[in-house]
């Protein structure tokens, strides 16, 4: 294979990717560079070099950017014969996205997992090379899916190459290795131009062309075209102040304008038809009275070719053709294509072409676009739905209907993450006329955009006002908006405007009453509003009813907020059930926007139970998903885990989270960071710092902040601030007496023991140990033993102190709570006893991902099941299991049970004598138990994955 002129290094990089694919190692590469710099040539080199490969191609087209999954259909169209071999949820998701089957909107990243599996399935026979040209012009849905796939490639004979404009769409392909193409060196540029311009060429003219081209290969090959030999001889005609891309396009434009009229009309038809389907092209051409002979002049000029696919010499040729065409010529081409397209097979493409052919308002076309928006949304193309609705509004003559469609388009833009565009549409819709309900909906959309962009600062008062306007117009929507306002106020916390959660709660109390029977969100709204305005004793009975409803809830949207309230109640059973339910539903739905949040909630449950290794695995899984999807990492679970681990890097993590929270206006995260600081510093016996953090957090009031009160009491007592400790205990008691769970009463008893003396303190410590032993809160139980042992030592009861401190030390070490374990060891030394050296039982030679995969395999999941769980390919699972077997010295999955540590749920956490799990607890669908049990391997079982759409993102703490 001949190396491209001046591109030896670049060709070697491509060769390495192909060689890796041949050896079974997948990879992706983004080739980035300016127009004409040689991206297409390098892709052509890759395809020529891929001997023995199956090749799949796609190209982004600017006019196709609003059609959902259009690029994906190009790339995978020839592979759909293997679709039946995918797991059912993946097959259904991809079929729905490509419009092959009807159904609810598939999650974008479940579609990505299906494509990942499909590529590996196709590559089973021979290696696969996927080539995507002009990837910056891919439709939004395809770009997200293919970027997801590219980040998850690992094992398997697959190579993906993307060509994108220099510095365009950097976020779309972030995290994928890049190769940047720059201009050719001077010597190579001269050799290329010598090949392009036969015969003698004046040296000064050659120097001028090389200088003007700036090493751009397409410029070197095209800038001289259209110039006479006299101009080439004297260098005239080369000077221009146009940007290089514009000058190259100008060269193509001159060549297009010189073509016969029928040829230009055919080129316009091809330029506005993005799929490159030759059958469709000739069908539309026939309607325009054009025959195949019209293509001959353009093919002779090398500008255009009709083969198995219609292709242009370069995207700039397509651009030049459209620039040379009159508006009527473009409309005529769109009209012919609309007539040629089968309305049953491609209604959205037909509607789009009809819209482009319209001269003015056309209600029939506007209605078609509105219907296409619904179909696009059902396929997961939210951005496409927004574009269809926006164009539909532009073609609507009736002002009222136009305003309604603009409102719908703004809502779709919001769901697609295009916040500025949504605000622009709301400004147009505001021109009206709007009826009162539409006006209230517009205000609600503005508030939702504020919450989506800042996570709090301005959103709560805007949502409250919108909810109040809706009360007389749409009571159910008003109540839902009040709940949104409460959620936004909780997120904003200290960084919000107005009076925060109290203002939102008071407004919610004045809202219309709930319907009969109430919805689960009505129960949640009423209990939160009552709790925040009238206190815990009034709110807890309502809260228990709401949490009971949420344990069976099938709607993901508000489970996160329900989990927060259950955690503030220290209700072990409800928090475990809701978190497990949330993860189960998110997995079943393939809702990868919500699943990381749900995994953080479940990780928090495992931290609460002292199962730190399992919690770390869940946080690792959540981070892998957000990295793959390009989302922001969720910090709440990581903060709690770091606080209880007590490692040296905890302070840096907390500081980074606070900085991020301040930048985004998320005051709730700052409160959780202060809670984490209080736990961390109490573990290190740095009580002054723990007190300062706990005091700051507790001053915020409301929900979330109450969890810091036990830390506040301990830190205040040890820092010599008895008045602060007594005040914190009084606030804690109000909550725990209302809650009356074993965990709440155990924490109250432990905190009350800290401010007590003599027999009363001893009795309270023993009560705390007994109650916490009947809860899931193993770390809190260990700390009760630790505090009791410290108190006994100070009472000079050394033998009794040693017993309590040994239990605490063993529990804390087995959990991996390093700072608290060190504190227990220090206390043991003070009694004259050396602590037994123990380490957390782990398999240190395995990486976190290997340990995670091994645990799931130990639990009985197949490679496909593990792949679906972790959003990787089955081939990648196989690759990692092979490494696990090698490291552990085993040969099969059946040996994993003996080779890996026992699962955290196999025995009472911490091994505390007499510790009991709750009995008689309810079960939830999917086989997940509420008694803290896990499947073998220590990984919570949350049911199989199956497809469904992803709802809005809920709160996460």
């Amino acid at each position: 294979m001949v190396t491209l002129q001046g591109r030896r290094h670049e060709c070697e990089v491509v060769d390495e990717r192909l060689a890796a694919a041949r050896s079974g190692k997948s990879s992706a590469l983004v080739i980035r560079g300016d127009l004409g710099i040689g991206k297409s040539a390098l892709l052509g080199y890759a395809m020529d070099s891929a001997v023995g490969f199956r090749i799949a191609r796609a190209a982004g087209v600017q006019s196709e950017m609003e059609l959902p999954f259009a690029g994906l259909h190009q790339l995978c169209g020839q592979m759909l014969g293997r679709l039946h071999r995918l797991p059912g949820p993946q097959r259904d998701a991809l079929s729905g996205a490509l419009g092959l089957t009807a159904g609810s909107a598939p999650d974008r990243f479940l579609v990505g997992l299906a494509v990942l599996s499909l590529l590996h399935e196709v590559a089973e026979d021979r290696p696969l090379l996927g080539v995507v040209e002009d990837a910056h012009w891919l439709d939004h849905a395809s770009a997200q899916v293919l970027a997801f796939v590219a980040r998850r490639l690992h094992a398997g004979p697959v190579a993906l190459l993307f060509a994108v404009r220099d510095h365009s769409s950097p976020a779309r392909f972030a995290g994928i290795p890049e190769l940047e193409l720059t201009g050719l060196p001077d010597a190579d540029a001269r050799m290329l131009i010598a090949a392009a311009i036969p015969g003698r060429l004046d040296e000064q003219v050659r120097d001028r062309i090389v200088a003007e081209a700036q090493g751009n290969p397409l410029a070197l090959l095209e800038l001289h075209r259209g110039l006479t030999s006299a101009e080439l001889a004297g260098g005239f005609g080369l000077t221009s102040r146009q940007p290089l891309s514009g000058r190259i396009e100008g060269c193509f434009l001159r060549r297009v304008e010189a073509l016969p009229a029928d040829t230009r009309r055919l080129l316009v038809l091809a330029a506005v038809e993005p799929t490159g389907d030759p059958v469709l092209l000739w069908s539309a051409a026939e309607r325009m009275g054009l025959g195949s002979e019209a293509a001959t002049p353009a093919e002779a000029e090398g500008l255009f070719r009709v083969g198995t696919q219609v292709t242009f010499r370069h995207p700039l040729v397509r651009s030049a053709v459209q620039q040379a065409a009159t508006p009527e010529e473009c409309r005529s081409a769109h009209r012919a294509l609309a007539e040629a397209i089968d309305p049953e097979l491609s209604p959205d493409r037909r509607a789009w072409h009809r819209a482009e052919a319209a001269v003015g308002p056309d209600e029939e076309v506007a209605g078609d676009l509105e219907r296409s928006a619904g179909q696009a949304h059902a396929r997961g193309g939210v951005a496409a739905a927004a574009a269809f609705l926006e164009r539909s509004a532009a073609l609507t003559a009736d002002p009222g209907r136009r305003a309604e469609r603009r409102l719908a388009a703004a809502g779709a833009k919001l769901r697609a993450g295009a916040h500025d565009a949504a605000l622009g549409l709301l400004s147009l819709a505001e021109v009206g006329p709007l009826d009162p309900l539409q006006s209230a909906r517009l205000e609600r959309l503005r508030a939702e955009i504020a919450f989506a962009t800042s996570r709090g600062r301005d959103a709560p008062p805007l949502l409250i006002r919108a909810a109040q306007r809706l009360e007389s117009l749409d009571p159910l929507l008003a109540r839902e908006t009040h709940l949104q306002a409460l959620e936004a106020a909780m997120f904003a916390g200290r960084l919000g405007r107005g009076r925060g959660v109290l203002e939102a709660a008071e407004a919610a109390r004045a809202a219309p009453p709930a319907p009969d029977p109430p919805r689960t969100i009505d129960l949640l709204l009423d209990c939160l509003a009552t709790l925040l305005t009238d206190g815990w004793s009034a709110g807890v009975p309502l809260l228990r009813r709401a949490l009971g409803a949420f344990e069976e809830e099938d709607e993901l949207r508000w489970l996160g907020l329900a989990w927060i309230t259950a955690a503030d109640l220290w209700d072990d059973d409800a928090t475990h059930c809701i978190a497990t339910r949330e993860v189960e539903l998110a997995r079943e739905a393939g809702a990868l926007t919500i699943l990381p949040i749900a995994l953080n909630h479940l990780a928090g449950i495992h931290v609460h139970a002292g199962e730190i290794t399992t919690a770390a695995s869940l946080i690792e899984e959540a981070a892998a998903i957000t990295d793959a999807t390009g989302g922001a990492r969720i910090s709440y679970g990581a903060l709690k885990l770091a606080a209880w681990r007590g490692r040296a890097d905890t302070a840096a993590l907390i500081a980074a989270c606070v900085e991020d929270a301040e930048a985004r206006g998320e005051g709730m995260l700052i409160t959780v960071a202060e809670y984490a600081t209080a736990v961390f510093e109490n573990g290190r016996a740095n009580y002054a710092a723990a007190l300062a953090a706990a005091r700051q957090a507790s001053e915020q009031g409301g929900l979330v902040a109450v969890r810091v009160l036990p830390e506040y009491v301990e830190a205040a007592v040890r820092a010599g601030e008895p008045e602060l400790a007594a005040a914190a205990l009084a606030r804690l008691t109000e909550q725990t007496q209302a809650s009356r769970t074993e965990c709440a009463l155990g924490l109250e008893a432990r905190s009350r023991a800290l401010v007590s003396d003599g027999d009363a303190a001893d009795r309270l410590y023993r009560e705390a140990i007994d109650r916490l032993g009947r809860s899931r809160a193993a770390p809190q139980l260990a700390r009760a033993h630790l505090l009791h042992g410290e108190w006994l030592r100070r009472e000079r009861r050394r033998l009794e102190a040693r017993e309590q401190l040994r239990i605490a030390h063993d529990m804390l070490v087995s959990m991996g709570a390093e700072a608290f374990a060190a504190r227990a060891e220090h206390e043991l030394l003070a009694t004259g006893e050396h602590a037994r050296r123990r380490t957390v039982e782990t398999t240190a030679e395995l990486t976190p991902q290997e340990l995670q995969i091994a645990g799931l395999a130990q639990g009985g999941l197949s490679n496909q099941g593990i792949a679906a769980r972790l959003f990787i390919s089955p081939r990648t699972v196989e690759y990692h299991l092979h490494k696990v077997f090698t490291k552990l010295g085993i040969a099969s999955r059946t040996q994993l049970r003996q080779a890996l540590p026992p699962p955290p749920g196999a025995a009472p956490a911490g091994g505390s004598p007499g510790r009991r799990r709750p009995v008689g607890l309810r079960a939830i669908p999917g086989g997940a138990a509420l008694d803290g049990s896990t499947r073998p391997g220590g990984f919570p079982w949350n049911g199989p994955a199956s497809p469904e759409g992803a709802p809005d993102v809920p709160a996460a703490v």
Side-chain angles (χ1 to χ4, degrees), residues 62 88 110 181 210 256 315 333 356-358 364 475 584 692 703 798 876 899:
Q62 194 169 16
L110 185 59
L181 299 189
V210 170
V256 168
E356 293 298 299
E364 183 183 348
E584 177 188 58
L703 300 178
R798 289 195 173 189
T876 301

Side-chain angles (χ1 to χ4, degrees), residues 804-889:
Q804 294 297 320
L805 292 171
R806 276 197 300 267
I807 293 171
H809 181 262
D810 288 352
M811 289 180 68
L812 292 164
V813 168
S814 68
M815 294 171 196
E818 297 175 13
F820 282 107
R823 181 173 143 188
E825 182 177 9
H826 176 78
E827 287 290 329
L828 268 175
L829 287 171
T831 68
E833 179 174 316
H834 288 278
R836 290 174 294 174
R837 288 293 175 187
R838 293 189 56 193
T839 58
V840 184
E841 213 169 349
T842 61
T843 310
E845 60 269 29
L846 299 183
T847 68
Q849 187 171 36
E850 289 168 354
L851 185 60
Q852 188 178 34
I853 289 172
L856 292 171
Q858 182 194 40
L861 286 184
S862 67
N863 284 6
Q864 277 196 335
I866 297 171
R869 178 79 170 262
L870 301 183
F871 305 95
I872 54 180
S873 72
R875 189 69 175 263
T876 301
V877 174
E878 181 183 345
Y879 170 82
H880 281 298
L881 279 178
H882 177 73
K883 293 177 68 177
V884 167
F885 292 167
T886 301
K887 288 182 178 182
L888 298 183

